[in-house]
Amino acid sequence: MLPYILRRIVLVIPVVIFISIIVFYIIQLPPGDYVSNYASKMSIAGDVMSQQDMDEMRANLKLDQPWFVQYLLWMKNIIFHFDFGYSFNYNKPVLAVIEQYMALTLIVSLVTMAFTYLVAIPIGIYCAVKQYSAGDYVFSALGFLGMATPHFLMAIILMYLSYEYFGDPLLGLFSSEYVNAAWSLGKVLDLLKHMIIPVVVIGLANTAELIRVMRSQMLDELNKPNVITARSKGLSETRILLKYPTRAAMNPIISTIGWSLTSIFTGSTVTAIVLNLPIQGPVMYNALLAQDMYLAGTWLLFMAVLTVVGTLISDILLAWLDPKIRTEFRGM
């Protein structure tokens, strides 16, 4: 396993570099740049910038160089100084902007991911074991509803219900009195209360999909020869379920970590905007709108790294679950 993991880590480096080149090129494809976008905003406010002012601003921000020169300078600063550039839109270093929103983004993402898997796996097992029961039909209907309902619409519905029955739409992650307050038990409880709607909305689609995957995999495994043999030996049904079909059915669930990690981590940008969540999704959206290339490029690069790391984690977990995969790794 260890040699395989080390080889995968080495392969990550050229993959990430290749992705970073594509990302940096794509974010510069729209016409104009940050300076032209800034000049347009100033013009709307009644302050017109001359062409000379725009040229000087481009020179100061080093935006007058070809894109590949800008990319090489950006990568040099990342590799040698761990400097990801300067956010023009937020007027501070990129790392400072990311750090400002990272803690809350991690909290929302990890809780959402835990909710997704802790809900989807038991329900998927139940629906397979109780196939065609009333519970199976109910969860299947809720699953299709969850996959079909847009995130932003579900967020609006839950906010309306929260306001109608509790007098609070639960916008944001904190009540007004806790936004700038120091951390305390009251602030933590307020955060947990406000996380109910984001976690349900962001995690619902992935949960619904994983329920269907888990159910279908369990149905395939329940009648395998090893399960029938275990039943003939008198093992309890619970022990059989956990030892054989559940373990085998987990393979496709574990393999989804690579992509679900990034999709959940972004916090569903539209949902985050609707709910006014202070996490990275809206920050990324604003960076792309303002053509704040270093902030946008850094966040997309981070997403690429997260995808590769998630895929590596999936492979390791699959090897832990499936002896056949461990045997293949030893032969590599």
Side-chain angles (χ1 to χ4, degrees):
M1 277 291 293
L2 183 59
Y4 171 79
I5 294 173
L6 291 176
R7 284 198 296 270
R8 288 292 302 273
I9 292 173
V10 171
L11 288 174
V12 163
I13 298 173
V15 170
V16 170
I17 291 175
F18 180 70
I19 292 174
S20 69
I21 295 173
I22 296 175
V23 163
F24 200 85
Y25 176 72
I26 288 176
I27 61 178
Q28 298 207 31
L29 283 179
D33 55 15
Y34 174 77
V35 174
S36 59
N37 187 277
Y38 178 80
S40 177
K41 291 181 180 178
M42 294 294 290
S43 176
I44 294 173
D47 189 2
V48 179
M49 293 181 66
S50 66
Q51 185 61 45
Q52 182 179 353
D53 292 336
M54 294 172 64
D55 292 340
E56 289 177 358
M57 187 175 180
R58 282 194 180 91
N60 291 333
L61 297 176
K62 298 180 181 179
L63 298 178
D64 55 341
Q65 301 290 332
W67 75 268
F68 55 86
V69 175
Q70 297 178 40
Y71 168 79
L72 291 174
L73 291 173
W74 183 52
M75 289 304 296
K76 184 189 77 171
N77 289 330
I78 291 175
I79 294 171
F80 293 105
H81 307 290
F82 202 65
D83 179 8
F84 288 83
Y86 196 80
S87 171
F88 311 134
N89 201 36
Y90 289 86
N91 199 27
K92 60 175 69 173
V94 166
L95 280 182
V97 177
I98 291 178
E99 288 171 1
Q100 180 180 347
Y101 297 95
M102 183 59 72
L104 291 176
T105 303
L106 280 172
I107 292 172
V108 173
S109 302
L110 293 176
V111 173
T112 302
M113 198 166 186
F115 167 83
T116 298
Y117 286 93
L118 291 177
V119 171
I121 292 173
I123 292 178
I125 294 172
Y126 170 83
C127 290
V129 174
K130 303 292 185 180
Q131 187 182 18
Y132 303 133
S133 66
D136 183 23
Y137 285 121
V138 169
F139 285 122
S140 296
L142 291 176
F144 286 123
L145 183 64
M147 288 189 288
T149 305
H151 284 185
F152 72 91
L153 179 59
M154 182 64 70
I156 293 172
I157 292 172
L158 292 180
M159 281 193 297
Y160 170 77
L161 293 175
S162 176
Y163 181 77
E164 184 71 18
Y165 291 100
F166 303 103
D168 186 353
L170 296 180
L171 275 172
L173 289 177
F174 298 102
S175 301
S176 56
E177 63 268 24
Y178 287 110
V179 171
N180 297 315
W183 283 99
S184 62
L185 179 59
K187 186 168 183 176
V188 172
L189 294 176
D190 187 67
L191 172 63
L192 294 176
K193 178 181 72 174
H194 281 78
M195 281 181 60
I196 295 173
I197 293 179
V199 168
V200 171
V201 171
I202 297 171
L204 188 59
N206 287 332
T207 301
E209 185 174 351
L210 289 179
I211 288 173
R212 306 302 302 166
V213 172
M214 190 69 189
R215 179 184 183 276
S216 62
Q217 290 295 317
M218 283 292 294
L219 289 174
D220 287 340
E221 297 292 334
L222 282 173
N223 294 317
K224 290 287 181 71
N226 57 346
V227 177
I228 296 173
T229 302
R231 285 198 183 104
S232 67
K233 290 181 178 180
L235 294 178
S236 67
E237 194 66 22
T238 302
R239 186 177 178 185
I240 293 172
L241 282 175
L242 294 177
K243 188 173 182 180
Y244 298 109
T246 300
R247 190 167 184 174
M250 287 290 291
N251 284 7
I253 301 293
I254 295 300
S255 66
T256 63
I257 290 177
W259 57 263
S260 64
L261 194 61
T262 53
S263 64
I264 292 174
F265 200 88
T266 56
S268 183
T269 301
V270 176
T271 303
I273 293 172
V274 171
L275 293 172
N276 194 29
L277 303 181
I279 58 178
Q280 293 285 3
V283 175
M284 176 62 188
Y285 175 73
N286 291 328
L288 290 171
L289 284 182
Q291 294 183 292
D292 192 353
M293 62 182 190
Y294 293 120
L295 178 57
T298 298
W299 183 244
L300 291 173
L301 180 63
F302 176 70
M303 287 293 99
V305 172
L306 200 61
T307 301
V308 175
V309 170
T311 303
L312 180 60
I313 293 172
S314 296
D315 290 343
I316 295 172
L317 291 176
L318 284 172
W320 174 68
L321 281 171
D322 194 334
K324 292 184 293 184
I325 297 177
R326 285 200 298 273
T327 304
E328 292 174 4
F329 282 164
R330 292 192 189 101
M332 293 180 66

